[in-house]
Amino acid sequence: MNSLKGKTVFITGASRGIGLAIGLRAARDGANIVVAAKSAVANPKLPGTIHTAAAEIEAAGGRALALQCDIRDEGEVRTAVASAVEHFGGIDILVNNASAIWLRGAADTPMKRYDLVHQVNARGTFLCSQACLPHLQKAANPHILMLSPPLDMSRKWFAPHVAYTMAKYGMSMCVLGMAEEFRSLGIAVNALWPRTVIATDALNMIPGVSRENARKPEIVADAAHAILTSPSRERTGGFLIDEEVLAHCGITDLSSYAVVPGQALLPDLFLD
């Protein structure tokens, strides 16, 4: 299978960035995309809403359902999942893309920020996976994909931003547990992470980082597409890197993904 035509893909945080790019890639196959995100009203400092994303997805050839949803709220998540199932008839794929970033040390992390990154990243991922599970069990080739890093317990990844690292690793630990728990159900659970920094609005949270030194979100979207079209019973529990996935597909020339061709790339978090 190399197409997501007719599949229903529930994507958290899909109003912009990597989540939207994954939705657009699936839309080109003719997939149904559930745009589940908080942004329903335009913000001049943060472009993109669930409605603009839905319009882009439909223009790309997919069907879209825009659902305002804060994944910290259990009621909102379960209502969004129910609405998606009612609208499209089921859920084939869950992409846990929504994330909160906070790159500060322990002394500079207010508990409000600590709670935010854990509630969105680790708890939100767990909740969305749990809510979608009954519907994924009915799908022909079900996948859950986390946008989270490989689990590396090196001190260097914790010291600069321990709260954030713990929260992102919480997403990855869901991969470890759920991949094995859901293996007999035929539901693939994998993590995907970029080799280098990706040009999204999250870069505004990283001082001194320029978009010119990053790759476009489409590289992650193309890698996600390759994973989500693979047989779910054959690939699960993996911690996959975007360019390695593409290399496995025979794509080794990544120049088209560079924001500025030939520019030196910045390494990403949690990768050497």
Side-chain angles (χ1 to χ4, degrees):
M1 183 180 72
N2 56 11
S3 174
L4 296 174
K5 182 176 178 61
K7 299 289 186 181
T8 296
V9 188
F10 190 107
I11 308 175
T12 65
S15 57
R16 61 181 67 89
I18 291 173
L20 175 56
I22 292 173
L24 290 170
R25 178 62 187 88
R28 296 207 301 272
D29 284 356
N32 307 318
I33 312 299
V34 181
V35 181
K38 288 197 307 177
S39 300
V41 179
N43 182 337
K45 295 182 179 180
L46 199 61
T49 69
I50 55 174
H51 305 296
T52 59
E56 288 186 55
I57 286 165
E58 293 188 343
R63 298 171 62 202
L65 176 63
L67 296 175
Q68 186 175 22
C69 178
D70 183 344
I71 65 168
R72 294 174 294 176
D73 187 305
E74 180 178 359
E76 289 191 18
V77 169
R78 297 197 184 279
T79 297
V81 169
S83 296
V85 172
E86 180 180 5
H87 191 80
F88 289 126
I91 295 174
D92 298 282
I93 294 165
L94 167 64
V95 178
N96 283 305
N97 166 73
S99 185
I101 188 170
W102 180 254
L103 302 181
R104 301 288 188 277
D108 297 318
T109 300
M111 290 312 298
K112 183 177 180 180
R113 284 288 180 177
Y114 179 96
D115 291 342
L116 175 66
V117 294
H118 283 267
Q119 288 167 359
V120 173
N121 300 352
R123 185 180 183 276
T125 290
F126 184 94
L127 171 58
C128 291
S129 301
Q130 184 187 74
C132 289
L133 179 60
H135 309 290
L136 292 169
Q137 290 183 70
K138 301 174 185 177
N141 192 53
H143 283 263
I144 299 176
L145 182 64
M146 323 296 193
L147 273 295
S148 66
L151 286 166
D152 182 344
M153 295 296 115
S154 300
R155 293 181 179 89
K156 64 182 178 180
W157 301 130
F158 290 86
H161 35 67
V162 62
Y164 176 68
T165 301
M166 290 168 64
K168 290 303 289 188
Y169 279 21
M171 296 176 69
S172 297
M173 291 173 75
C174 284
V175 173
L176 278 182
M178 291 179 182
E180 196 59 32
E181 181 181 356
F182 303 160
R183 185 183 298 274
S184 63
L185 301 174
I187 300 173
V189 186
N190 292 289
L192 175 63
W193 197 245
R195 170 62 67 185
T196 68
V197 169
I198 301 299
T200 70
D201 290 302
L203 293 191
N204 298 332
M205 299 292 292
I206 308 176
V209 174
S210 169
R211 287 175 180 269
E212 293 183 351
N213 300 103
R215 283 180 175 155
K216 300 174 184 177
E218 285 73 18
I219 188 171
V220 183
D222 287 346
H225 183 271
I227 296 165
L228 299 175
T229 54
S230 66
S232 62
R233 290 186 178 273
E234 296 180 11
R235 174 186 266 178
T236 190
F239 291 90
L240 310 169
I241 305 303
D242 56 358
E243 65 178 40
E244 293 175 5
V245 173
L246 296 181
H248 185 74
C249 298
I251 302 171
T252 56
D253 181 2
L254 306 179
S255 59
S256 64
Y257 298 113
V259 173
V260 177
Q263 191 84 336
L265 295 173
L266 291 164
D268 209 343
L269 297 172
F270 311 118
L271 287 176
D272 289 325

